[in-house]
């Protein structure tokens, strides 16, 4: 370790032990750190000694130097992840702030600062410092007045009093991420985005066959492929379609205007357009892609899709957020996950549960349902239709007992019994009306 | 045995047989096993009447009886069979759809009689059949039937159609033989068998080995006592029972049912069970007494549910393929476990899977159009060869199969041992169906967020509110509301995990969880109760207009209601019939729920 003396910065040499020498040493150490590390880095003892600022790598000297820096608020101690103690550098500006503060205040400030964008809860501050509530409150008040800190709120604990450095924005944990607007979960945004995504995934999950025979015979529903002859070139159609699909995905840019328009339609004027949309879509037949198909959309594709099409006004959205939403959509049984490879090395793909025809039909229905609820007429009709559509309707959901508030009490001979039950009367009337409805209009 | 089920069973018997029998049944149900005399005392009825009633109930299989060696006969209710009284409609529908008219005529007959000798089925049937053919001319399987049945002269020559239908029903296990043991409770049978085995048991083994050997013997003997399979294999060369699984060394595949099928009687241990009917070496001997096996109806129903699920997910052409597969597997499936009393859910035996062979499937699909129409004879599907040509799957069919194998549903899986065979794993699919049903109910009662929460919890296990909130993307307030509702309705539970001994609420973690089995049982119970309410309501509605109904049922009015009854009375009657129809329709759907939740 011979060269250390020669390369050492202008220090008084190894014997430096006077107060003045220490002063110089500390300044040198601080400057060296500022040059070599940024403020976020946690410096370990090795880091500090590596700079050859400390003569002989003398730990005692280092200790004295760091201590004096800490006293000057230019260093802050930190726990190292590997255990032991580390340091962070503090800028002169921040250090200056501390200088103006009383000891309590500076303690409080340091806690708030150390918690960064997560924000500090009053109770945490109190707990960490073991100060009296009054002192903490007083300090916070001063700090607020001086504009050093500001209050914030977090989604997870809306009631908590939280503080953060004035210059920082609350972190994603606190704001709840992209799904929160002003700390409130943005339901509309979620629903809308889920719909858009479902539609997009569905477009990419089903092989669309425009079968000339189907069109000429005027096949009415996408699902009824009965008349499809078994050898209608399933494979060849797929190959062709595959190419088209690949073009689609490759030239996603070309598609952008149309798809974002479609989205706009859905968003702003869903009713007027849907009738038309379903009218054209009904001509198409969707069949599942063969097993092993690997071009279902992935998380990355969908995130890009959302961002490129500027579907969210408030700017970019991260993959994390989209994955959160996709996860929810899986639970809503709108989409399913598909593993591209059994060992999970390739990214998970998403496949829509319903084909576009079904989705549009569903929206249509929901739309009508909403309309009619408002008019409060024929709502039953739509509800009934929806009920009938669903696979395996019935049992428990229709009959009054299934949703009876006094179900547990109801007993023959008891105060509430099937004989005096009024729900049944209501129910009889209700079916009567739906049955008439149904006979009237099966064509929509 | 739950109160609601007991209530429902009595109501069902009342509906089918009348109040008198329902009273006897309910008494037996609430008191357990009774002697006829005791029963008479409890019912406050003369012994003679009671005996008459018991005879009818025993005949219908609704009451077990057992005579001890001292000659005392005791009786016990059979709720399982009583519940099945709700199912004749569905049974007929399924059988007709699947096996055609002749089969459904046989089943009708069996439903009327409870159990009957084969000979009777063969003859009575024809007349029943002819009377029905004319009426329901529009049913889909009509073509095949109308030519053969209507066209066949009503002579005494054996009716091929009926014969084939009988065979097919047997193959699929829908008809099974009745043995004496079926009129006893399981415990009685066991005791009897143990006694007998004990008398004839000789062994050199000692200690636990001896016990094991004895237990094994007993099990074997019980198996034989209650065996419901009709033995086909000895019925001579004209027997065309599917030998398909012999395609390769299929007999080596362990299948719990196979040993019985292949060597039903040929066991010669020192113990000769008295069969209900002595000789069953002859296939469908005229004197063989058979009954309907309701457990198989669940199999049919499950398959139809699975097919509609596939239709909903992949479309019609896929479900057609899938249907063919399921139909092929049907005969070899073991009965679903019957556990009416809601014990802990049993581990399903690995036997709930069977394999299907590509070649056979190809053939089925090739014959699909004709296959659809066939009414009684599946026998042409032998060995996957038709006229010596081994069938190959079309590329389309193959790709269908592969799609069906896909995650997450896995309607099919490839067999591990044989590359050209496919397996249907029923239990995960049953669970899927069951969960879907539960989610549907939750959706209808609450909203989609409730379903989301339940599904998250089902997937992730126990979660505290914070994590749950992050996953379901809902605001804390809404989440809490829905959680509370779900908890109140019994769908969710909350577990407290105190972080310290004092159990302070503030220092406690609260975990939400969803217990599917508990919810399933709760729903089954509620469904029983709902069904009971429907029947009770029917009674109420009937009572309301009792006089009018009685009038319409008078012998001089019956059939001429239009002429003899006042307009208002006719209206009242019509309204009542409609209500009754709705209620019965509802009962049918509730029964579907029971199928899904209990029997699948
Ligand atoms: S009968 Fe009426 S009161 Fe009783 S459970 Fe049903 S709906 Fe409720």
């Amino acid at each position: 370790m011979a060269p250390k003396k020669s390369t050492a910065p202008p220090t008084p040499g190894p014997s430096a032990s006077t107060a003045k020498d220490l002063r110089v040493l500390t300044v040198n150490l601080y400057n060296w750190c500022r040059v070599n590390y940024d403020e976020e880095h946690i410096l370990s003892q090795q880091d500090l000694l590596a700079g050859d600022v400390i003569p002989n790598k003398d730990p005692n000297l280092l200790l004295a130097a760091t201590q004096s820096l800490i006293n000057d608020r230019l260093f802050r101690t930190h726990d190292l992840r590997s255990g032991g103690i580390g340091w962070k550098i503090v800028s002169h500006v921040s250090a200056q702030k501390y200088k103006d503060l009383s000891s309590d205040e500076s303690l409080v400030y340091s806690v708030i600062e150390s918690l960064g964008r997560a924000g500090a809860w009053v109770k945490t501050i109190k707990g960490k410092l073991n100060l009296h509530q009054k002192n903490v409150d007083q300090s916070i008040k001063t700090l607020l007045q001086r504009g050093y800190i500001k209050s914030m709120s977090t989604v997870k604990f809306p009631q908590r009093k939280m503080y953060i450095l004035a210059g920082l924005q609350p972190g994603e944990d606190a704001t709840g991420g992209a799904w929160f607007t002003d700390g409130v979960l943005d339901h509309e945004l979620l629903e809308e985005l889920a719909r858009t995504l479902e539609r997009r995934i569905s477009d990419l999950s089903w092989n669309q066959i425009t079968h000339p025979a189907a069109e000429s015979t005027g096949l009415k529903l996408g699902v009824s492929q009965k008349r499809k002859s078994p050898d209608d070139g399933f494979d060849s159609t797929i190959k062709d379609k595959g190419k088209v699909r690949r073009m689609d995905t490759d030239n996603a840019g070309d598609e952008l205007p149309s798809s974002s328009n479609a989205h706009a339609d859905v968003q702003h004027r869903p009713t007027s357009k849907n009738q038309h949309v379903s009218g054209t879509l009904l001509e198409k037949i969707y069949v599942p892609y063969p097993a092993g198909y690997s071009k279902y959309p992935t998380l990355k594709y969908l995130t890009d899709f959302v961002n490129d099409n500027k579907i969210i006004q408030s700017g970019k959205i991260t993959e994390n957020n989209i994955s959160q939403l996709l996860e929810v959509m899986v639970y809503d049984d709108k989409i399913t996950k598909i593993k591209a490879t059994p060992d999970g090395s390739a990214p998970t793909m998403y496949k829509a549960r319903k084909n576009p025809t079904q989705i549009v039909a569903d929206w249509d229905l929901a739309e009508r349902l909403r309309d009619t609820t408002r008019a409060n007429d024929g709502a039953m009709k739509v509800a009934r239709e929806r009920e009938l559509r669903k696979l395996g309707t019935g049992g428990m959901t229709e009959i009054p007992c299934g949703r009876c508030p006094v179900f547990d009490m109801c007993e023959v001979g008891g105060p509430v019994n099937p004989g005096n039950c009024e729900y049944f009367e209501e129910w009889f009337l209700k079916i009567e009306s739906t049955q008439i409805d149904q006979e009237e209009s099966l064509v929509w | 045995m739950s109160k609601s089920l007991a209530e429902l069973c009595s109501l069902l018997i009342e509906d089918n047989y009348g109040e008198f029998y329902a009273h006897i049944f309910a008494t037996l149900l609430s008191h357990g096993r009774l002697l006829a005399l005791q029963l008479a005392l409890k019912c406050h009825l003369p012994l003679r009447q009671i005996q008459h009633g018991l005879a009818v109930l025993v005949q219908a299989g609704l009451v077990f009886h057992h005579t001890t060696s001292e000659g005392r006969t005791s009786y016990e209710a059979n709720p399982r069979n009583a519940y099945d009284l709700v199912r004749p409609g569905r049974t007929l529908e399924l059988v007709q759809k699947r096996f055609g008219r002749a089969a459904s005529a046989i089943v009708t007959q069996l439903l009327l009689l409870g159990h009957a000798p084969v000979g009777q089925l063969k003859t009575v049937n024809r007349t029943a059949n002819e009377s029905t053919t004319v009426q329901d001319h529009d049913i889909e399987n009509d073509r095949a039937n109308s030519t053969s049945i209507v066209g066949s002269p009503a002579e005494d020559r054996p009716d091929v159609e009926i014969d084939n239908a009988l065979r097919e029903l047997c193959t699929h296990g829908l008809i099974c033989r009745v043995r004496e043991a079926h009129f006893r409770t399981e415990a009685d049978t066991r005791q009897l068998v143990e006694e007998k085995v004990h008398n004839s048991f000789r062994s050199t083994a000692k200690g636990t080995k001896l016990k094991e050997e004895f237990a094994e013997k007993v099990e074997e003997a019980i198996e034989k006592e209650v065996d419901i399979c009709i033995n086909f294999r000895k019925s001579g060369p004209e027997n065309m029972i599917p030998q398909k699984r012999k395609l390769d060394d299929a007999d080596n595949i362990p299948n719990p049912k196979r040993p019985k099928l292949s060597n039903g009687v040929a066991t010669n241990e020192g113990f000769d069970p008295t069969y209900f009917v002595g000789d069953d070496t002859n296939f469908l001997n005229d004197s063989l007494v058979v009954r309907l096996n309701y457990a198989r109806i669940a199999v049919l129903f499950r398959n139809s549910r699975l097919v509609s699920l596939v239709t909903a997910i992949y479309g019609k052409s896929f479900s057609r393929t899938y249907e063919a597969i399921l139909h092929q597997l049907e005969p070899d499936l073991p009965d679903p476990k019957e556990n009416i009393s809601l014990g802990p859910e049993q581990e399903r035996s690995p036997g709930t899977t069977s394999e299907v062979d590509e070649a056979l499937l190809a053939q089925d699909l090739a014959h699909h159009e004709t296959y659809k129409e066939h009414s009684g004879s599946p026998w042409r599907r032998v060995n996957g060869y038709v006229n010596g040509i081994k069938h190959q799957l079309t590329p389309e069919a193959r790709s269908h199969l592969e799609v069906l194998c896909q995650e997450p549903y896995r309607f099919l899986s490839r067999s591990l041992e044989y590359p050209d065979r496919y397996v249907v794993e029923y239990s995960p699919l049953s669970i899927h169906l069951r969960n879907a049903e539960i989610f549907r109910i939750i959706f209808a009662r609450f909203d989609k967020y409730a379903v989301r929460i339940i599904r998250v919890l089902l997937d992730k296990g126990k979660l505290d509110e914070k994590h749950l909130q992050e996953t379901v993307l809902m605001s804390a307030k809404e989440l809490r509301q829905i959680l509370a509702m779900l908890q109140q309705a019994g769908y969710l539970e909350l577990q407290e995990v105190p972080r310290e001994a004092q159990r302070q609420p503030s220092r406690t973690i609260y975990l939400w969880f969803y217990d599917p089995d508990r919810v399933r049982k709760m729903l089954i119970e509620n469904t029983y109760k709902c069904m009971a309410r429907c029947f009770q309501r029917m009674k109420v509605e009937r009572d309301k207009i009792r006089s009018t109904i009685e009038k319409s049922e008078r012998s001089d009015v019956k059939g001429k209601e239009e002429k003899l009854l006042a307009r208002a009375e006719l209206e009242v009657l019509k309204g009542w019939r409609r209500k009754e129809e709705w209620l019965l329709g509802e009962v049918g759907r509730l029964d579907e729920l029971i199928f899904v939740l209990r029997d699948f």
Side-chain angles (χ1 to χ4, degrees):
Chain A
M1 298 283 155
K4 68 179 143 297
K5 258 183 255 169
S6 55
T7 53
T11 45
S15 62
S17 54
T18 61
K20 190 172 163 264
D21 291 344
L22 186 65
R23 195 77 233 139
V24 177
L25 185 64
T26 19
V27 171
N28 282 336
L29 183 65
Y30 181 75
N31 287 338
W32 179 83
C33 291
R34 294 260 335 160
V35 173
N36 289 293
Y37 294 97
D38 60 20
E39 285 188 29
E40 284 314 300
H41 191 85
I42 302 174
L43 297 149
S44 65
Q45 189 173 336
Q46 283 78 17
D47 291 337
L48 291 176
L49 289 174
D52 281 338
V53 185
I54 308 294
N56 278 341
K57 296 194 188 290
D58 180 353
N60 288 328
L61 260 183
L62 180 67
L63 191 66
T66 47
Q67 190 53 51
S68 105
L69 280 169
I70 286 166
N71 292 343
D72 288 345
R73 316 247 175 234
L74 288 166
F75 260 29
R76 204 177 327 127
T77 47
H78 259 279
D79 289 335
L80 277 178
R81 206 165 287 152
S82 54
I85 278 190
W87 297 269
K88 263 189 180 178
I89 348 167
V90 180
S91 68
H92 278 289
V93 190
S94 334
Q96 191 55 41
K97 284 186 182 156
Y98 282 104
K99 296 243 171 76
D100 308 340
L101 298 172
S102 73
S103 67
D104 280 358
E105 286 160 9
S106 69
L107 280 172
V108 170
Y109 185 81
S110 74
V111 170
I112 295 176
E113 190 180 22
S114 70
L115 288 171
R117 293 179 57 188
W121 182 26
V122 182
K123 277 218 174 132
T124 325
I125 303 175
K126 216 183 97 193
K128 281 206 173 188
L129 300 176
N130 228 348
L131 283 176
H132 195 271
Q133 179 76 44
K134 231 173 78 192
N135 299 359
V136 174
D137 287 347
Q138 186 58 46
S139 311
I140 286 177
K141 216 170 135 201
T142 331
L143 288 168
L144 278 172
Q145 275 166 0
R146 296 210 186 170
Y148 286 0
I149 61 170
K150 63 184 179 187
S151 68
M152 61 168 270
S153 64
T154 157
V155 233
K156 284 190 205 154
F157 310 97
Q159 332 78 320
R160 289 188 181 176
K161 271 193 187 164
M162 309 276 291
Y163 296 95
I164 186 173
L165 290 196
L168 290 181
Q169 284 303 318
E172 210 158 77
D173 264 3
T175 56
W179 309 127
F180 287 81
T181 315
D182 309 326
V184 183
L185 192 76
D186 195 337
H187 261 294
E188 256 100 273
L189 176 73
L190 278 169
E191 295 284 308
E192 200 47 59
L193 194 56
R195 272 162 65 111
T196 315
L197 282 174
E198 186 186 2
R199 181 60 208 268
R200 183 68 195 159
I201 297 172
S202 179
D203 281 341
L204 298 175
S205 312
W206 295 85
N207 192 8
Q208 185 189 319
I209 296 179
T210 30
H211 196 245
E215 269 165 6
S216 60
T217 50
L219 210 58
K220 276 277 146 30
L221 273 173
V223 279
S224 62
Q225 298 150 15
K226 268 185 230 151
R227 283 187 227 171
K228 224 176 66 177
S229 57
D231 49 357
D232 67 340
F234 192 80
D235 279 20
S236 61
T237 337
I238 284 169
K239 261 178 233 146
D240 293 345
K241 276 291 141 190
K243 256 177 243 155
V244 176
R245 183 58 59 212
R246 229 168 294 133
M247 271 166 52
D248 281 354
T249 34
D250 288 349
N251 311 348
D254 298 347
E255 266 192 347
L256 296 188
S258 68
S259 53
S260 54
N261 279 349
H263 171 70
D265 277 341
V266 172
Q267 203 163 33
H268 303 302
R269 321 206 33 190
T271 352
S272 60
K273 200 90 195 202
N274 270 357
Q275 213 54 47
H276 167 69
V277 171
S278 61
T280 51
L281 274 175
L282 284 180
E283 309 294 329
K284 298 167 188 164
I285 294 177
Y286 292 98
V287 297
Y289 284 113
Y293 178 78
S294 62
K295 295 204 174 53
Y296 297 109
T298 58
L299 173 59
K300 181 165 179 332
Y301 172 82
L302 291 168
T303 314
D304 290 348
F305 168 72
V306 172
N307 283 330
D308 294 348
N309 290 288
K310 311 219 168 18
I311 287 167
I312 293 186
Q313 278 93 351
S314 59
K316 294 254 169 201
I317 195 151
T318 61
E319 282 193 9
N320 249 347
N321 289 132
I322 293 290
S323 123
Q324 236 181 338
L325 181 58
L326 288 173
E327 208 49 39
V328 165
M329 287 170 70
V330 171
Y331 286 124
D332 282 354
D333 205 20
K334 291 205 171 101
I335 54 176
T336 51
K337 288 189 203 175
I338 295 198
K339 286 199 191 76
T341 47
D343 57 357
S345 55
T348 308
M349 302 184 292
Y350 296 91
K351 176 175 187 278
R353 174 81 165 61
K354 297 183 186 133
N355 67 38
T357 315
Q358 291 165 324
I359 290 179
V360 172
D362 273 6
W363 287 353
D364 225 26
L365 194 65
E367 201 50 52
R368 282 209 306 271
L369 188 62
R370 215 174 306 149
D371 269 0
T372 43
T373 340
R374 226 175 287 134
N376 205 12
D377 169 41
M380 208 44 218
K381 212 180 338 187
V382 184
R384 179 74 201 172
E385 192 189 348
R386 188 172 62 176
E387 189 92 323
L388 288 174
R389 254 162 197 274
K390 250 181 280 159
L391 174 75
T393 49
M396 285 294 259
T397 54
E398 291 193 339
I399 185 174
C401 303
R403 39 177 79 224
C404 172
V406 287
F407 186 74
D408 291 333
M409 273 159 45
C410 179
E411 211 173 334
V412 180
V416 183
N417 63 57
N420 68 10
C421 168
E422 286 166 18
Y423 301 107
F424 265 110
E425 288 305 329
E426 257 173 55
W427 183 66
F428 287 142
L429 290 177
K430 224 162 73 180
I431 323 186
E432 203 139 359
S433 68
T434 33
Q435 290 216 328
I436 292 163
D437 273 354
Q438 272 204 323
E439 279 154 24
E440 268 175 12
S441 62
L442 275 175
V443 234
W444 278 58
Chain B
M1 163 116 194
S2 76
K3 189 172 146 247
S4 339
L5 180 57
E7 200 177 8
L8 176 62
C9 287
S10 308
L11 281 163
L12 278 168
I13 290 179
E14 182 175 339
D15 199 55
N16 280 274
Y17 295 87
E19 224 164 314
F20 168 63
Y21 301 102
H23 182 52
I24 297 180
F25 185 82
T27 315
L28 272 179
L29 212 48
S30 56
H31 289 90
R33 168 177 294 217
L34 290 177
L35 299 175
L37 193 61
Q38 292 170 310
L39 187 61
L41 286 174
K42 301 263 191 241
C43 292
H44 307 290
L45 285 169
L47 182 61
R48 255 172 55 92
Q49 279 187 25
I50 289 291
Q51 275 166 338
H52 163 73
L54 280 173
V56 171
L57 288 172
V58 165
Q59 166 78 16
L62 297 167
V63 164
F64 293 118
H65 68 100
H66 175 58
T67 310
T68 58
S69 43
E70 297 98 64
R72 298 213 299 176
T73 309
S74 55
Y75 300 88
E76 199 173 329
N78 178 351
R80 169 88 224 182
N81 284 0
Y83 178 82
D84 286 337
L85 287 176
V86 84
R87 291 187 167 165
R90 166 104 33 215
T91 308
L92 271 180
E93 185 194 319
L94 285 165
V95 168
Q96 165 128 0
K97 229 168 107 193
R98 176 81 172 79
F99 302 105
R101 184 74 60 58
S104 93
I106 296 171
V107 171
T108 316
Q109 203 55 38
L110 274 176
L111 284 169
L112 283 174
L113 298 172
H115 52 82
V118 170
Q120 195 181 351
L121 286 179
K122 279 181 183 165
T123 54
V124 180
N125 224 312
R126 183 95 68 79
T127 45
N129 212 1
E130 270 162 14
S131 61
T132 49
T133 355
V134 194
Q135 290 168 9
D136 331 51
H137 224 297
D138 47 337
I139 302 177
E140 60 169 285
N141 289 328
D142 212 49
R143 240 179 308 161
N145 295 316
S146 49
T147 48
S148 54
I149 296 179
V150 177
S152 67
E155 290 159 14
D156 263 354
R157 80 175 168 78
D159 191 328
V160 184
E161 190 91 23
I162 293 291
D163 227 44
N164 281 342
L166 261 177
R167 279 158 187 261
E168 186 160 19
L169 287 174
C170 292
T171 329
H172 288 257
L174 280 160
I175 291 183
C176 60
R177 59 180 301 160
V178 183
R179 288 177 190 271
E180 201 181 345
H182 296 142
F183 293 90
R184 284 191 298 254
T185 57
E186 239 175 80
D188 287 335
T189 308
R190 176 168 294 270
Q191 207 184 349
L192 266 180
V193 168
E194 267 172 14
E195 265 169 38
K196 275 189 191 165
V197 174
H198 188 78
N199 291 340
S200 61
F201 189 63
R202 302 275 175 281
S203 174
T204 50
K206 283 194 187 94
T208 44
K209 197 107 184 264
L210 182 80
K211 264 189 201 152
E212 270 168 29
E213 221 168 90
F214 181 73
E216 214 172 275
K217 274 255 159 59
V218 169
E219 288 309 322
E220 235 169 62
I222 288 180
E223 278 275 288
K224 225 185 291 171
E225 279 282 278
V226 297
D227 180 17
I228 56 172
C229 292
I230 297 170
N231 182 30
F232 303 115
R233 292 284 160 116
K234 303 212 168 175
S235 50
E238 83 281 10
N239 168 24
M240 311 263 279
I241 298 301
Q243 309 243 320
K244 47 186 186 174
R245 249 140 282 277
K246 282 219 163 155
L247 206 55
D248 11 338
D249 50 346
D251 276 337
N252 294 341
I253 298 168
N255 182 328
K257 211 167 171 184
R258 181 161 319 271
K260 278 187 261 168
L261 272 171
S262 44
N263 57 352
V265 246
T267 37
N268 43 359
E269 273 124 66
F271 167 52
D272 177 32
T274 37
Y275 285 115
F276 193 60
V277 171
D279 173 34
D280 63 345
T281 50
N282 196 355
F283 168 68
L284 287 185
N285 189 323
D286 274 4
S287 60
L288 185 73
V289 177
V290 294
R291 68 175 164 92
L292 210 60
N293 184 5
Y294 272 104
R296 302 304 289 184
I297 303 295
V299 173
L300 288 189
F301 189 60
R302 180 175 63 190
N303 283 349
S304 77
R305 269 293 171 99
L306 285 174
V307 168
S308 37
L309 187 62
V310 171
T311 316
I313 290 173
Y314 293 121
K316 195 83 183 172
S317 49
F318 286 83
S319 65
R320 221 172 42 192
T321 312
Y322 197 53
E323 195 172 18
I325 296 172
L326 292 180
H327 286 179
Q328 262 203 21
L329 292 177
E330 248 165 36
D332 269 4
L333 277 183
D335 290 352
K337 213 64 237 142
E338 304 183 11
N339 51 343
I340 196 170
S341 53
L342 292 184
E345 178 148 36
Q346 274 119 358
E347 271 298 308
R348 305 215 172 206
S349 61
T352 34
T353 60
S354 287
E355 298 187 352
V356 75
D357 186 88
E358 266 191 19
L360 278 164
L361 189 62
Q363 189 202 328
D364 263 7
L365 288 171
H367 279 267
H368 193 77
E369 293 314 313
T370 37
Y371 180 71
K372 260 270 140 185
E373 286 158 26
H374 90 94
S375 59
S377 132
W379 318 127
R380 57 174 115 84
R381 322 177 263 142
V382 176
N383 283 355
Y385 289 86
V386 169
N387 303 334
I389 304 156
K390 185 158 182 176
H391 274 257
Q392 292 287 325
L393 279 181
T394 59
E396 191 202 15
R398 194 177 296 277
S399 93
H400 280 184
L401 292 182
E402 272 160 19
V403 169
L404 287 169
C405 284
Q406 266 181 320
E407 300 276 359
Y409 303 101
R410 296 189 141 280
F411 288 109
L412 268 188
S413 349
R414 255 178 201 285
S415 162
L416 292 176
E417 290 162 67
Y418 307 94
D420 62 340
R421 286 190 184 195
Y422 290 87
V423 181
V424 177
E425 302 211 19
Y426 283 96
S427 23
L429 285 171
S430 296
I431 290 173
H432 180 86
L433 283 175
R434 191 183 295 161
N435 281 340
E437 198 70 17
I438 295 178
F439 297 153
R440 187 183 61 73
I441 291 171
I442 294 174
F443 176 74
R445 273 194 75 175
F446 305 96
D447 55 6
K448 70 170 192 175
Y449 297 107
V451 178
R452 191 187 290 176
I453 292 169
I454 298 275
R455 291 188 58 147
V456 168
L457 288 173
L458 180 63
D459 186 38
K460 307 216 165 192
K462 297 180 179 177
L463 282 185
D464 71 356
E465 217 172 291
K466 288 275 152 331
H467 282 111
L468 192 55
Q469 194 193 336
E470 274 165 28
T471 324
V472 296
L473 285 181
M474 289 168 63
S475 71
K477 205 173 125 219
E478 286 171 319
L479 178 66
R480 221 163 289 148
Q481 273 173 0
I482 297 182
L483 283 175
M485 280 195 307
L486 284 171
Q487 188 193 20
Q488 207 191 0
Y491 291 98
L492 282 187
E493 281 161 278
L494 193 59
Q495 186 185 14
E496 296 177 17
V497 185
R499 271 190 281 194
E500 41 187 50
Q502 285 79 20
R503 300 188 153 261
Q504 281 177 14
S506 63
R507 304 280 299 150
T508 303
I509 306 173
Y510 294 92
L511 296 175
W512 289 99
F513 68 99
Y514 167 75
D515 179 347
D517 209 46
R518 215 189 61 90
V519 168
R520 182 178 75 95
K521 282 173 193 157
M522 177 186 84
L523 283 175
I524 292 176
E525 275 309 308
N526 287 352
T527 311
Y528 286 148
K529 188 164 172 184
C530 279
M531 288 168 109
R533 295 290 167 270
C534 282
F535 279 109
Q536 280 152 353
R537 187 67 193 194
M538 266 184 255
K539 259 204 312 197
V540 171
E541 295 292 332
R542 217 165 12 224
D543 281 346
K544 273 195 208 158
I545 54 162
R546 169 148 304 233
S547 59
T548 318
I549 295 176
E550 271 166 9
K551 191 168 167 193
S552 77
E553 276 167 1
R554 259 168 38 191
S555 55
D556 55 332
V557 180
K558 205 158 187 176
K560 294 176 257 175
E561 288 96 340
E562 298 278 335
K563 250 188 269 167
L564 294 174
L565 292 181
R567 213 189 154 74
E569 282 176 319
L570 280 175
E571 275 303 306
V572 168
L573 272 180
K574 228 176 99 193
W576 163 69
R577 290 225 173 91
R578 240 188 3 232
K579 282 182 190 171
E580 190 125 297
E581 235 169 63
W582 294 333
L583 285 169
L584 281 174
E586 243 6 276
V587 168
R589 293 194 208 169
L590 290 167
D591 179 42
E592 280 181 24
L593 200 59
I594 294 289
F595 266 123
V596 176
L597 295 177
R598 189 192 73 187
D599 298 343
F600 277 9

